[in-house]
Amino acid sequence: MDHTSHHTSHQAAPQDAHPDSHHTSHHTSHQTSHHDMGTNAMALSATLHCLTGCAIGEILGLMIGTALGLSNLATIAIAVGLAFLFGYALSTLPLLRAGLGVGAALTVVLAADTLSIATMELVDNLVMAAIPGAMDAGLVNPVFWLSMMLALTAAFFAAWPVNRYLLARGKGHALTHGYMDAEPVGARRFIPALTTSALVAAITAFMLGGLVVSIADELGASSTTGHALAPDHPAPETGTDTGTGSGQLALLRSS
């Protein structure tokens, strides 16, 4: 009897342990999934910061290059430099808001964003160079804005995995994450907090606005050209001149 009881309890032990093991495995899987979602969200925010800065810098660089009549190479160099400048600036603002000094914030941002911005600029300029006429199109040409949208989209998908890779290893924007929960004090409260949704709205409005203006300018130019090429049809002579001619003819007949 004792032997049977002992044998039964011995068989039941592994069955009791199995639910605990399954629960632990499920909990670990849930934690991993939650961590991946957090990493993806951070990578999205980091990439959008870089993308917005790159878009502003490249548009401004093109404006400067066009105004000064510079070559494509010189214009690209200015645009890339400004893209890095604005990309760093947008990533520095949250750190300044959190209480860091300018020097400390720039040090963190240089380590966090350089690889991401470099990847984005490389892909963006390669796509722009590959599209016929994109580099020579002006700001009021729809070809430029459509090409820029395509190039920035490709740059986003190229930089996002780079940011995610760095974040998963505690690098990149992970270096700035520890400062994001700090409550701003004093004048730092007036530094804007750039959320992901705000960045998406800003870059979408920026690109669509440029496209709409360029299309409107294109339509206006076509309308003006059409009016300029339209032939002039002189109106037939009527009124006094016709009457005078008829009177002269009547005098000739009477004579």
Side-chain angles (χ1 to χ4, degrees):
M1 185 71 178
D2 292 339
H3 176 73
T4 303
S5 175
H6 174 74
H7 181 68
T8 302
S9 64
H10 178 71
Q11 286 182 331
Q15 295 177 356
D16 293 339
H18 180 69
D20 292 338
S21 175
H22 177 73
H23 177 73
T24 303
S25 175
H26 176 74
H27 182 67
T28 303
S29 175
H30 179 73
Q31 282 185 326
T32 303
S33 175
H34 182 72
H35 179 265
D36 288 342
M37 290 177 63
T39 302
N40 290 337
M42 287 179 64
L44 176 65
S45 177
T47 307
L48 285 171
H49 273 85
C50 295
L51 188 72
T52 307
C54 287
I56 295 172
E58 294 212 3
I59 302 299
L60 187 58
L62 181 67
M63 291 174 64
I64 294 173
T66 302
L68 298 178
L70 302 177
S71 65
N72 285 343
L73 186 61
T75 300
I76 289 175
I78 294 174
V80 170
L82 290 175
F84 271 92
L85 176 64
F86 281 96
Y88 287 143
L90 289 179
S91 294
T92 301
L93 289 177
L95 298 179
L96 296 177
R97 178 180 169 86
L100 269 69
V102 176
L106 286 175
T107 301
V108 173
V109 167
L110 286 172
D113 281 356
T114 299
L115 183 58
S116 173
I117 297 176
T119 301
M120 192 168 286
E121 282 302 297
L122 176 63
V123 174
D124 177 83
N125 284 287
L126 284 176
V127 173
M128 288 291 287
I131 299 175
M135 294 300 300
D136 298 321
L139 287 173
V140 290
N141 191 330
V143 172
F144 168 77
W145 291 100
L146 292 172
S147 301
M148 181 63 74
M149 289 178 185
L150 179 62
L152 289 176
T153 301
F156 172 84
F157 284 109
W160 183 82
V162 172
N163 282 315
R164 193 187 186 289
Y165 174 85
L166 294 173
L167 283 165
R169 283 152 184 77
K171 300 178 181 179
H173 263 246
L175 301 174
T176 69
H177 186 60
Y179 302 101
M180 297 306 175
D181 295 331
E183 202 60 36
V185 295
R188 295 179 185 270
R189 290 177 295 178
F190 298 102
I191 299 176
L194 301 175
T195 62
T196 301
S197 58
L199 291 173
V200 171
I203 195 169
T204 301
F206 184 66
M207 301 304 293
L208 288 179
L211 179 61
V212 169
V213 170
S214 66
I215 292 174
D217 183 81
E218 201 66 21
L219 293 175
S222 299
S223 177
T224 303
T225 304
H227 284 302
L229 294 177
D232 295 330
H233 298 288
E237 296 181 359
T238 58
T240 306
D241 292 339
T242 302
T244 303
S246 300
Q248 289 176 348
L249 183 59
L251 288 173
L252 288 172
R253 284 177 180 177
S254 62
S255 62

